[in-house]
Amino acid sequence: MNRFSYVKATSVDHAVDVLTADPAAKVLAGGTNLVDLMKYDVERPTTVVDIKRLPLGDIEALDDGALRIGALVSNADAAYDRQVEENCPLLASAILAGASPQLRNAATTGGNLMQRTRCYYFYDPSAPCNKRDPGTGCGAIGGVNRIHAILGASASCIATHPSDMCVGLAALDAVVEVSGPQGKRDIAFEDFHRLPKDDERGDRPDLDNTLQLGEIVTGVRVPRQAFGQNYTYLKLRDRLSYAFALVSVAAGLTLENGVITSASVALGGVAHKPWRDKRAEDMLKGQTPSREIFTAFAERILSPAVGQGDNDFKISLARRAIVRALAQAASGTPQRQSQKSYA
Amino acid sequence: MSYDPDTQSQLCPTTLHINGVRHDLEIEPWTTLLDLLRGPLALTGTKKGCDHGQCGACTVLIDGMRYNSCLLLAVSQDGAEITTIEGLSTGDQLHPMQEAFIEHDAFQCGYCTPGQICSAVGLLNEGHAHSREDVRELMSGNICRCGAYVNIADAVEDVMGQQTHAVAAQ
């Protein structure tokens, strides 16, 4: 681990000041990703700003029925919180699909949003990686790419976002609350993470998200949801627990008299950010749940999918996982994360 | 003190309560809790396995909950109550989880065992396991290279059952 200056933040404004003054500073919360990356020399911050003592550790119900989850609420505390379980069980389930109990005790809500890809080339400072060292190339394209993206990749990066929680938050249309040198602002969840290439900043896989210099995540708001019964988080991976997703599906449906009135589906493990296609979701509205309509939806959302070689299997795996997840959501039988057979 | 770029050093006053003993320390901020325990504090019961949060051998209890000590900077734990494997027994009286691991032969080489036992005690404290399925899922952060999982799950279930009976008898 490199040497750095350690600063205990005394307020959000203090943390913002330190981050604004030193672009190579990093925020420390749970540390489960940052400390790991520092040990690999992938992250070499000049300053580490410890925000763990800031008052961002509460979950509160807002007047409009939304829940605000503070940036420092641990993944475990969020997943087992009664309000989260009642208001958005999809989020609780997604969190429990990720990592291990030890990691969920340490990892925070804000840190989960900020975690970096698990691409092997990103983790290896001796390998080329446009995300870690812009302009050096991508070892994964044409390399070992079993875990890589099938959607939204660019010519310079095929990394995936590793989070499960964020896939749940994407399906729930959450809002990210941030503070920065210009004050506070809200970012719609779909606008928080970015694809490696976008219109605004071009092909910049080094930028995981749309935070500006000095900005810090202070919390996440989850709107009041109707997916109390008809939801699931289905995660497929190389072993049954404690592994990153090859493909995961967060699905929520609203049903009235047996007809779908709204649908929300987010995919994990397949792109640089949780993947949604709202126009594809629209085709589910007004339909009666059936294997045929779910398959048609899966074909539609995966129509731009491209394999990289080792990960070609993800396209058919995702198709089947989407159909299975929508069937679980429609029947109100969500996947339990401790149950290792798929209903 | 603040970071001195010339000497590349910084010593941070930090107080940790470890196994009931208060330690007033001055720590370099890049020291992990694991390295602090095993090095300067000579509490070598906590094991370094992968050193990246993937194996669970370094699991300790902080305020009763389990954490991978390899991924925590010791300075960030200022004021915490930490329990390591050395702190679970009372004199020669082993913790019920330690007794259960012996009873069920829940280890072979033993390297992962301190982390397994601390994790299992954390599992009980956290209170989210209600079945063998739950035990297996909620012990998944602890890898056993020898593959003693069946007996580990038996040991944890045994102590869970003792607790349930103790509550029922009250």
Side-chain angles (χ1 to χ4, degrees):
Chain A
M1 207 180 305
N2 69 292
R3 300 302 180 243
F4 54 82
S5 172
Y6 175 80
V7 178
K8 265 187 187 152
T10 53
S11 65
V12 171
D13 287 345
H14 180 209
V16 167
D17 287 345
V18 174
L19 291 170
T20 307
D22 181 358
K26 285 283 176 184
V27 171
L28 176 75
T32 54
N33 194 212
L34 179 64
V35 174
D36 187 36
L37 288 167
M38 287 168 68
K39 289 185 179 188
Y40 281 112
D41 254 357
V42 173
E43 297 281 12
R44 297 179 57 84
T46 49
T47 302
V48 170
V49 193
D50 187 345
I51 63 165
K52 192 66 186 166
R53 304 301 155 113
L54 298 185
L56 302 171
D58 293 328
I59 299 176
E60 53 185 327
L62 305 177
D63 291 342
D64 63 356
L67 276 187
R68 175 189 286 128
I69 304 172
L72 291 174
V73 175
S74 75
N75 288 178
D77 284 348
Y80 294 116
D81 180 78
R82 190 181 51 77
Q83 297 179 91
V84 173
E85 286 173 341
E86 287 176 4
N87 190 66
C88 39
L90 171 54
L91 177 60
S93 185
I95 295 171
L96 292 178
S100 68
Q102 288 96 319
L103 290 167
R104 293 194 295 266
N105 282 341
T108 63
T109 302
N112 197 307
L113 268 61
M114 299 301 292
Q115 68 182 305
R116 310 213 64 194
T117 185
R118 294 281 165 167
C119 172
Y120 340 105
Y121 298 93
F122 173 74
Y123 258 80
D124 176 1
S126 70
C129 173
N130 289 320
K131 181 180 282 297
R132 188 188 63 248
D133 295 310
T136 56
C138 173
I141 297 173
V144 178
N145 50 38
R146 175 177 164 73
I147 65 171
H148 289 78
I150 54 171
L151 289 162
S154 81
S156 67
C157 182
I158 59 172
T160 57
H161 195 263
S163 171
D164 292 296
M165 187 186 90
C166 290
V167 182
L169 288 171
L172 291 164
D173 289 310
V175 174
V176 185
E177 300 180 342
V178 308
S179 283
Q182 268 79 50
K184 298 179 181 179
R185 68 179 176 121
D186 287 346
I187 305 175
F189 203 82
E190 63 183 320
D191 297 328
F192 183 81
H193 296 105
R194 56 186 294 286
L195 292 174
K197 183 178 181 181
D198 62 21
D199 291 340
E200 197 172 333
R201 304 192 191 193
D203 204 351
R204 288 289 305 277
D206 54 312
L207 303 174
D208 293 349
N209 56 55
T210 56
L211 285 181
Q212 305 285 333
L213 176 66
E215 282 187 325
I216 182 174
V217 175
T218 56
V220 171
R221 276 200 320 276
V222 185
R224 176 191 282 281
Q225 278 301 326
F227 307 141
Q229 299 289 326
N230 295 106
Y231 72 92
T232 199
Y233 188 76
L234 179 63
K235 178 177 182 179
L236 304 176
R237 46 193 151 174
D238 277 332
R239 57 185 186 193
L240 292 174
S241 296
Y242 195 16
F244 292 97
L246 293 167
V247 170
S248 69
V249 185
L253 297 173
T254 310
L255 293 161
E256 285 176 23
N257 301 320
V259 174
I260 297 169
T261 55
S262 76
S264 183
V265 178
L267 307 181
V270 295
H272 200 256
K273 61 185 282 190
W275 187 267
R276 275 187 73 175
D277 182 340
K278 290 185 179 178
R279 289 175 66 185
E281 288 166 11
D282 283 342
M283 70 185 274
L284 292 171
K285 287 183 192 167
Q287 302 286 338
T288 305
S290 70
R291 185 175 181 85
E292 288 68 32
I293 189 70
F294 294 157
T295 303
F297 168 80
E299 298 285 355
R300 171 79 180 268
I301 191 172
L302 291 168
S303 59
V306 181
Q308 298 287 337
D310 293 346
N311 69 351
D312 292 350
F313 72 96
K314 280 192 181 185
I315 300 174
S316 58
L317 186 67
R319 182 183 304 115
R320 285 178 281 132
I322 292 165
V323 173
R324 182 71 64 94
L326 283 166
Q328 288 183 340
S331 61
T333 51
Q335 184 69 39
R336 281 179 45 234
Q337 298 308 339
S338 60
Q339 187 178 352
K340 299 306 173 184
S341 58
Y342 298 111
Chain B
M1 73 177 230
S2 58
Y3 182 72
D4 180 343
D6 293 331
T7 61
Q8 294 202 339
S9 73
Q10 182 179 9
L11 288 173
C12 304
T14 305
T15 299
L16 300 176
H17 304 268
I18 302 170
N19 300 331
V21 178
R22 179 186 170 120
H23 296 263
D24 293 309
L25 304 159
E26 291 205 318
I27 303 174
E28 291 179 317
W30 38 84
T31 308
T32 63
L33 178 59
L34 174 61
D35 287 342
L36 177 78
L37 290 171
R38 290 184 53 83
L41 300 183
L43 290 165
T44 54
T46 305
K47 297 295 184 255
K48 182 181 281 196
C50 69
D51 207 24
H52 289 281
Q54 297 175 9
C55 78
C58 67
T59 302
V60 299
L61 299 165
I62 301 178
D63 299 326
M65 312 259 287
R66 49 196 161 145
Y67 294 85
N68 297 312
S69 62
C70 73
L71 292 182
L72 295 173
L73 298 182
V75 285
S76 71
Q77 300 305 310
D78 192 15
E81 295 274 353
I82 297 164
T83 305
T84 68
I85 189 72
E86 290 93 340
L88 284 180
S89 61
T90 309
D92 289 338
Q93 182 72 42
L94 295 181
H95 186 283
M97 192 62 74
Q98 292 173 305
E99 295 279 10
F101 266 63
I102 294 168
E103 179 70 23
H104 290 275
D105 197 16
F107 44 81
Q108 290 180 46
C109 83
Y111 196 80
C112 72
T113 309
Q116 297 277 2
I117 290 175
C118 285
S119 186
V121 172
L123 174 146
L124 295 180
N125 291 343
E126 290 155 22
H128 303 301
H130 308 290
S131 65
R132 189 176 183 90
E133 270 182 342
D134 292 344
V135 169
R136 285 168 56 82
E137 172 66 15
L138 295 177
M139 286 297 290
S140 67
N142 292 81
I143 308 296
C144 170
R145 199 195 68 169
C146 305
Y149 295 111
V150 173
N151 293 0
I152 291 169
D154 286 347
V156 178
E157 270 201 302
D158 189 351
V159 182
M160 256 171 64
Q162 293 170 24
Q163 288 196 336
T164 309
H165 289 137
V167 171
Q170 279 173 2

